[in-house]
Amino acid sequence: MIRGMLSELNRRGFLGGVGAAAIFGANAGTLLAQSTMAPGLAITIDDFDLANSPLMSGEVRDAAIRECLKRHGVQAAGFVSGKFIDPELAPRILRGWSDEGHVIGNHTFSHAYFSGADPAGFMEDVLVCEPLLSGYASFQKLFRFPYLAEGRTAEGRDTMRGLLAGHGYRNAHVTIDTSDWFVDNRLRARLKDDLGADLAPYRQFYLDHLWERASYYDGLANALFGHSINHTILLHHRLTTALFLSDAIQMFRERGWRIIDADMAFRSAEFELVPQALPAGQSLLWALAKTDPQLATGLRYPGEDGKYEAPKMDALGI
């Protein structure tokens, strides 16, 4: 166990001023059990841009995603930006998500980047989105920052954290960040030129990418805690999710991972940690590792981006 002692976690500042006993005391048994368990994986899907895409309309795409989750017995979490909620389609789709037990969370109205410069204005954007979501039974006050950007200054970061807590919101952290959106952009561009293009290379790249990033972030979890954790993976309401999510779930299960409900992941003790890294945000695990001198040297910024995947896809001609 590299950094399994709670006193070591506290000394290195991973708890951000929150006492180890307060976070881990009631959950010590759970954390001990996790040390011998395979990593868990919860599906979380951002944005809910329901615009039509090649091969599928927004409504058909959503139906495919929800059918996949139902078939695999998985309850996911969807983080919805209010600007995508139209008066006809979105309420019908969100009602389906809620009726099927998937968590619905807040992703701001305008999906703006939070630099830390105007926390009050950013909080207003969160609150404008809330009434569009709060009428659904599965809505929870879970908030996910667009672009996983939580502020570039300590003052902006901490003020925003205080505002969210004051309104009853918890940070819906991502532990496994991905660039699925970039793979989707490449696929849609190809389909725009040739609607009959072969999907197989994009499927394989998508699966390889998710596995590579999941393995990397689970490695960070083991370096930080001495064991795997219940992860949340960041995906988007995109064509790639509709086409390949079932393959991804099957892949993770075949490789020994547990597919878990999102609500279970968000209740894990690790999600109560308060990272002190700047710039704030990225994966929760990235942010925790950033404060460790030994782990920080191996981190890239941003953690995920299309610029890392473009050369690989170029080399494959996709």
Side-chain angles (χ1 to χ4, degrees), residues 170-182:
R170 290 186 292 137
N171 193 326
H173 289 292
V174 168
T175 65
I176 298 172
D177 193 6
T178 77
S179 295
D180 71 314
W181 55 271
F182 183 77

Side-chain angles (χ1 to χ4, degrees), residues 12-81:
R12 291 185 181 276
F14 293 157
L15 302 187
V18 179
I23 290 177
F24 290 104
N27 298 291
T30 300
L31 290 173
L32 182 61
Q34 285 180 352
S35 67
T36 60
M37 293 176 69
L41 184 70
I43 307 300
T44 72
I45 298 175
D46 282 13
D47 296 358
F48 279 62
D49 182 350
L50 301 175
N52 295 339
S53 59
L55 302 181
M56 295 182 185
S57 67
E59 188 165 18
V60 170
R61 190 172 67 242
D62 182 78
I65 293 170
R66 286 195 285 123
E67 189 279 328
C68 167
L69 294 170
K70 183 176 182 179
R71 177 161 32 92
H72 286 281
V74 178
Q75 290 187 321
F79 293 93
V80 184
S81 290

Side-chain angles (χ1 to χ4, degrees), residues 186-260:
R186 285 289 186 105
L187 174 58
R188 287 191 292 114
R190 181 74 178 95
L191 290 171
K192 184 178 179 180
D193 291 336
D194 178 9
L195 198 58
D198 186 7
L199 301 180
Y202 295 91
R203 172 188 174 276
Q204 192 60 55
F205 188 90
Y206 177 87
L207 295 176
D208 290 345
H209 172 67
L210 295 192
W211 179 250
E212 177 190 53
R213 303 325 297 157
S215 299
Y216 169 76
Y217 286 107
D218 192 54
L220 280 184
N222 276 276
L224 289 162
F225 305 117
H227 57 78
S228 295
I229 65 171
N230 289 331
H231 289 281
T232 51
I233 191 168
L234 173 57
L235 302 175
H236 293 81
H237 200 293
R238 295 276 191 128
L239 181 63
T240 46
T241 306
L243 291 173
F244 308 137
L245 178 58
S246 183
D247 295 322
I249 290 173
Q250 182 177 340
M251 174 186 70
F252 278 102
R253 281 179 168 156
E254 288 176 349
R255 296 180 183 183
W257 285 49
R258 298 171 297 113
I259 306 300
I260 63 173

Side-chain angles (χ1 to χ4, degrees), residues 75-291:
Q75 290 187 321
F79 293 93
V80 184
S81 290
K83 72 177 185 178
F84 297 127
I85 300 180
D86 64 83
E88 296 182 8
L89 179 59
R92 186 163 68 249
I93 283 177
L94 293 179
R95 190 176 305 112
W97 278 75
S98 182
D99 290 348
E100 292 166 18
H102 304 298
V103 172
I104 294 175
N106 196 324
H107 199 40
T108 73
F109 183 88
S110 62
H111 199 273
Y113 180 94
F114 178 60
S115 67
D118 182 16
F122 191 81
M123 189 70 224
E124 182 61 28
D125 200 38
V126 177
L127 295 177
V128 168
C129 188
E130 183 176 320
L132 301 176
L133 308 175
S134 58
Y136 299 100
S138 70
F139 171 73
Q140 294 187 27
K141 284 196 170 185
L142 286 168
F143 175 72
R144 177 163 291 168
F145 284 87
Y147 311 104
L148 304 185
E150 300 180 31
R152 303 187 68 86
T153 65
E155 180 181 4
R157 176 198 67 197
D158 295 344
T159 300
M160 193 67 232
R161 286 173 175 173
L163 289 170
L164 287 168
H167 287 277
Y169 277 94
R170 290 186 292 137
N171 193 326
H173 289 292
V174 168
T175 65
I176 298 172
D177 193 6
T178 77
S179 295
D180 71 314
W181 55 271
F182 183 77
V183 182
D184 183 84
N185 286 348
R186 285 289 186 105
L187 174 58
R188 287 191 292 114
R190 181 74 178 95
L191 290 171
K192 184 178 179 180
D193 291 336
D194 178 9
L195 198 58
D198 186 7
L199 301 180
Y202 295 91
R203 172 188 174 276
Q204 192 60 55
F205 188 90
Y206 177 87
L207 295 176
D208 290 345
H209 172 67
L210 295 192
W211 179 250
E212 177 190 53
R213 303 325 297 157
S215 299
Y216 169 76
Y217 286 107
D218 192 54
L220 280 184
N222 276 276
L224 289 162
F225 305 117
H227 57 78
S228 295
I229 65 171
N230 289 331
H231 289 281
T232 51
I233 191 168
L234 173 57
L235 302 175
H236 293 81
H237 200 293
R238 295 276 191 128
L239 181 63
T240 46
T241 306
L243 291 173
F244 308 137
L245 178 58
S246 183
D247 295 322
I249 290 173
Q250 182 177 340
M251 174 186 70
F252 278 102
R253 281 179 168 156
E254 288 176 349
R255 296 180 183 183
W257 285 49
R258 298 171 297 113
I259 306 300
I260 63 173
D261 291 344
D263 189 62
M264 176 182 178
F266 287 125
R267 295 184 186 280
S268 299
E270 292 87 357
F271 285 75
E272 298 298 324
L273 299 176
V274 184
Q276 298 299 297
L278 288 173
Q282 306 295 298
S283 156
L284 172 64
L285 298 171
W286 185 100
L288 294 173
K290 183 67 173 176
T291 64

